[in-house]
């Protein structure tokens, strides 16, 4: 028996490692939605912590096996993840730009990001942000130049266009409430 043959065999994960990867993937996905990249990274990180002297190849094989297991069982779907996160972020006052950037950082493909944010409504999200921050129609203080600049800057930092920020800034409380009510149906 040659020593090189033995190293080739040990470069493959053991059945115990594969079972751990499947169980770990099932546990993580039962607790919250993950993207393919998030699941791969989480399994790889935990495998390095759990198993002593694990090779880089073994880590990659375990993470890939966990992702395959999740896809085979219908527990992993990046497109559905993008749609859910887009609706949630929009209800939280996030712009299309901010949502797209966050999804891209999570490892979602550009096509899935574009499809998910297509239905997003920046005006609704801007009104939600205004309500959360007591800006525009929800303002409780008198408007001065400093306050005006602060409010418009907050819209710009949130990824909203100047036009949308200016529109929300100038709308009445009743108009804002109508947009919020109509947006809840999304």
């Amino acid at each position: 028996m040659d020593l090189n043959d033995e190293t080739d065999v040990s470069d493959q994960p053991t059945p115990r490692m594969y079972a751990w990867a499947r169980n770990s993937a099932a546990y993580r996905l039962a607790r919250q939605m993950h993207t393919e990249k998030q699941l791969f990274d989480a399994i790889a990180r935990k495998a390095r912590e759990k198993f002593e002297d694990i090779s880089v190849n073994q880590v990659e094989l375990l993470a890939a096996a966990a992702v395959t297991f999740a896809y085979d069982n219908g527990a992993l779907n990046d497109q559905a993840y993008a749609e859910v996160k887009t609706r949630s972020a929009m209800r939280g006052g996030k712009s299309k730009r901010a949502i797209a950037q966050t999804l891209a950082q999570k490892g979602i493909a550009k096509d899935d990001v574009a499809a998910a944010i297509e239905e997003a409504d920046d005006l609704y999200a801007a009104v939600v942000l205004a309500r959360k921050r007591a800006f525009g129609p929800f303002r409780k203080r008198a408007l001065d130049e400093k306050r005006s600049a602060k409010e418009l800057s907050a819209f710009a930092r949130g990824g909203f266009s100047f036009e949308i920020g200016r529109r929300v800034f100038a709308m009445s409380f009743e108009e804002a409430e109508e947009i919020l009510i109509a947006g809840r149906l999304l």
Side-chain angles (χ1 to χ4, degrees):
M1 180 180 236
D2 190 4
L3 290 176
N4 290 336
D5 292 338
E6 189 175 310
T7 56
D8 290 341
V9 172
S10 69
D11 207 29
Q12 288 292 319
T14 64
R16 177 178 163 261
M17 289 177 172
Y18 279 120
W20 170 84
R22 284 190 306 273
N23 291 340
S24 184
Y27 173 76
R28 289 177 183 289
L29 292 168
R31 295 185 70 214
Q32 73 181 53
M33 290 181 79
H34 282 67
T35 64
E36 179 179 333
K37 180 182 182 297
Q38 285 177 317
L39 182 63
F40 186 93
D41 292 346
I43 297 297
R45 183 182 69 251
K46 285 296 188 181
R48 281 192 228 74
E49 291 174 9
K50 181 162 179 66
F51 301 108
E52 292 180 16
D53 300 327
I54 190 168
S55 71
V56 173
N57 187 44
Q58 286 176 320
V59 169
E60 289 179 6
L61 288 172
L62 286 177
V67 168
T68 302
F69 170 77
Y71 272 121
D72 290 347
N73 288 293
L76 198 60
N77 185 341
D78 281 358
Q79 187 175 4
Y81 179 92
E83 290 170 3
V84 167
K85 291 296 183 179
T86 298
R87 283 192 304 272
S88 176
M90 192 178 66
R91 287 190 307 268
K94 304 284 186 215
S95 68
K96 284 183 179 184
R97 279 187 209 139
I99 295 168
Q101 184 179 22
T102 301
L103 292 175
Q105 288 173 346
K106 299 279 186 187
I108 305 291
K110 288 182 181 181
D111 296 341
D112 291 339
V113 171
I117 66 169
E118 187 177 312
E119 298 295 320
D121 182 7
D122 264 354
L123 181 62
Y124 171 75
V127 172
V128 169
L129 177 66
R131 184 183 63 197
K132 285 173 73 173
R133 304 278 307 268
F135 288 165
F138 304 100
R139 188 180 306 114
K140 295 178 178 144
R141 298 181 190 164
L143 184 63
D144 59 1
E145 235 178 88
K146 184 178 176 184
R147 180 94 177 141
S148 174
K150 179 181 177 180
E151 290 183 16
L152 289 174
S153 296
F155 285 118
R157 282 190 309 274
F160 296 103
S161 68
F162 180 75
E163 178 184 315
I164 288 186
R166 182 59 99 180
R167 189 170 165 194
V168 173
F169 184 78
M171 72 175 45
S172 70
F173 180 79
E174 290 77 23
E175 289 174 314
E177 284 296 317
E178 287 177 21
I179 290 172
L180 288 174
I181 291 169
R184 287 187 184 126
L185 303 174
L186 295 175

